[in-house]
Amino acid sequence: MVNLNDSANANALDRIFSALADGTRRRVLADLEQGTASVSELARPHAMSLPAFLKHLRVLEDAGLIARAKDGRVVSCTLSPEPMQAASNWLARYEKFWNGQLDSLARYLYHDQEIHPCQPDAPPTTPSNSGSAATLPPPSSGSGKPGRTRKR
């Protein structure tokens, strides 16, 4: 379980969620679910330069979400699931909270509907031509007649 009072764990969660905030990095993680892949294989579907893509890999590596290994001239990446588990545990705590809050709201609304059932809306009344107080004047057009213009 992640102890949020520990600043190292809080910083780790910050790095994880920051890394997950970008679509390119999420796609890299999805690609790595299939297994280890080289940097060039991972970069191929992304329309960016290799140096820009390597910056994304650095963010993922700093967050601990991937591990890089070099074999000769080939650099390969592997998914590291442990940091995702820490993020998942953190989210699960808040999921329990919000599910409890939403269940409470549902109970309240159900109880309120039992006490005050919805009444069908009354049909709209049309103004009569009898000249009574129920007749409303037509709405204004928002502006009056044009005024006098200055001659130059």
Side-chain angles (χ1 to χ4, degrees):
M1 186 78 177
V2 176
N3 181 2
L4 295 179
N5 295 330
D6 182 5
S7 65
N9 285 335
N11 289 338
L13 278 175
D14 289 345
R15 286 191 304 275
I16 292 166
F17 285 117
S18 179
L20 295 174
D22 184 80
T24 299
R25 295 190 284 265
R26 288 191 305 271
R27 183 162 178 202
V28 168
L29 293 176
D31 291 344
L32 287 174
E33 287 177 8
Q34 308 304 318
T36 302
S38 70
V39 169
S40 59
E41 291 171 342
L42 291 171
R44 191 171 296 124
H46 302 280
M48 64 179 70
S49 67
L50 187 59
F53 184 76
L54 289 173
K55 289 180 181 180
H56 285 288
L57 291 182
R58 173 58 56 119
V59 171
L60 290 169
E61 188 175 26
D62 289 346
L65 294 168
I66 64 167
R68 286 200 259 189
K70 189 170 184 179
D71 184 25
R73 292 176 40 176
V74 177
V75 178
S76 58
C77 298
T78 307
L79 191 61
S80 299
E82 295 84 16
M84 284 292 243
Q85 185 61 45
S88 178
N89 290 342
W90 185 85
L91 288 171
R93 287 183 35 198
Y94 290 95
E95 180 182 19
K96 289 178 188 176
F97 168 76
W98 283 111
N99 283 340
Q101 295 296 314
L102 291 173
D103 289 345
S104 177
L105 177 61
R107 284 190 302 274
Y108 170 77
L109 292 174
Y110 178 78
H111 179 70
D112 188 56
Q113 186 177 13
E114 290 292 318
I115 293 173
H116 307 289
C118 293
Q119 298 296 324
D121 291 338
T125 58
T126 57
S128 65
N129 293 334
S130 65
S132 67
T135 305
L136 299 175
S140 67
S141 65
S143 64
K145 296 178 183 176
R148 224 172 71 183
T149 59
R150 255 179 32 188
K151 293 183 182 180
R152 294 183 184 182

